[in-house]
Amino acid sequence: AQSVTQPDIHITVSEGASLELRCNYSYGATPYLFWYVQSPGQGLQLLLKYFSGDTLVQGIKGFEAEFKRSQSSFNLRKPSVHWSDAAEYFCAVGSSGGYQKVTFGTGTKLQVIP
Amino acid sequence: GAVVSQHPSWVICKSGTSVKIECRSLDFQATTMFWYRQFPKQSLMLMATSNEGSKATYEQGVEKDKFLINHASLTLSTLTVTSAHPEDSSFYICSARDPAGGPGEQFFGPGTRLTVL
């Protein structure tokens, strides 16, 4: 069965500092990987996705993520965080078969301080 | 991009009543939609997969008689919480697969906050 681990429940960074959110996945085949962001009381917005090809993926809002098969990781990065980036971030892995269900990690809450 | 709407955005009901939540794909046809439940400060838990024209597939532990799902058309899926109780209070989010999108890619609605008194 597929699974996702986000080891950091809560991260605090200063505005302008760099950010890295960790994500490790477990999946038997080549995974489909996603990062979503959720603001309080809102649905999820897709930041970026990896299906195949270049292992460094660019997303919206200046985010990027790197797929590392050897480490089963898909960490999210941003070089300079803005106060508006404060939100909950979810890493997810999708299956290629059946209804292509997606399994979410437990999320990392990002706090940005001035 | 693909847009998914949910209605209502929030609802308060009395214990024992039923509540219907609608999920619509606005600019694409979705043969598959998903219903999730999210408890405060927790991740999304998949409740069921909704398929147009057929019965929904429920995840283990989800009561299919309590959470009725109907995927009546390629743009509409509904979740009915029957005989709601306070423990059903939660944030319910739907998503839809756009066949033109990448594998596994889902587009999410804004969610519905259900409070059962």
Side-chain angles (χ1 to χ4, degrees):
Chain A
Q2 60 201 52
S3 66
V4 178
T5 301
Q6 293 181 248
D8 303 306
I9 296 174
H10 190 209
I11 283 184
T12 300
V13 298
S14 299
E15 189 169 15
S18 62
L19 171 71
E20 181 169 29
L21 302 182
R22 296 183 290 167
C23 172
N24 292 96
Y25 69 89
S26 174
Y27 186 64
T30 299
Y32 302 134
L33 296 163
F34 309 87
W35 274 100
Y36 288 90
V37 61
Q38 184 182 34
S39 297
Q42 302 294 315
L44 275 69
Q45 181 182 24
L46 179 67
L47 285 176
L48 47 78
K49 58 192 177 186
Y50 171 79
F51 296 142
S52 64
D54 193 346
T55 56
L56 184 62
V57 180
Q58 302 297 320
I60 62 172
K61 303 184 179 185
F63 285 93
E64 67 176 27
E66 186 171 11
F67 170 59
K68 293 185 177 180
R69 183 186 299 275
S70 61
Q71 299 177 19
S72 297
S73 69
F74 189 57
N75 294 348
L76 182 71
R77 300 193 294 250
K78 186 170 184 177
S80 178
V81 170
H82 188 262
W83 64 267
S84 60
D85 293 325
E88 187 95 24
Y89 290 80
F90 293 96
C91 180
V93 61
S95 63
S96 58
Y99 296 120
Q100 299 184 7
K101 293 191 294 186
V102 172
T103 300
F104 287 86
T106 50
T108 298
K109 185 171 184 177
L110 173 65
Q111 181 181 8
V112 180
I113 56 177
Chain B
V3 180
V4 176
S5 70
Q6 273 184 251
H7 179 80
S9 55
W10 59 269
V11 56
I12 300 173
C13 69
K14 293 182 178 181
S15 184
T17 61
S18 294
V19 174
K20 179 184 285 188
I21 302 170
E22 293 185 347
C23 177
R24 294 181 184 273
S25 56
L26 298 185
D27 50 3
F28 65 100
Q29 294 185 328
T31 55
T32 303
M33 291 184 172
F34 302 90
W35 286 95
Y36 295 86
R37 184 174 181 176
Q38 186 179 31
F39 292 100
K41 301 183 180 180
Q42 294 190 27
S43 187
L44 282 74
M45 181 192 78
L46 179 64
M47 299 173 65
T49 303
S50 170
N51 301 290
E52 188 269 336
S54 64
K55 291 183 178 180
T57 303
Y58 290 82
E59 295 299 300
Q60 191 173 6
V62 177
E63 300 176 62
K64 58 182 66 177
D65 294 331
K66 176 164 207 46
F67 299 100
L68 301 179
I69 292 172
N70 184 293
H71 198 146
S73 74
L74 288 173
T75 60
L76 173 64
S77 175
T78 60
L79 168 68
T80 302
V81 183
T82 63
S83 187
H85 291 283
E87 58 266 29
D88 298 324
S89 298
S90 191
F91 193 54
Y92 292 88
I93 304 176
C94 74
S95 70
R97 275 196 33 76
D98 181 354
E105 185 171 1
Q106 298 176 21
F107 297 91
F108 286 83
T112 297
R113 173 76 58 192
L114 170 62
T115 300
V116 185
L117 303 176

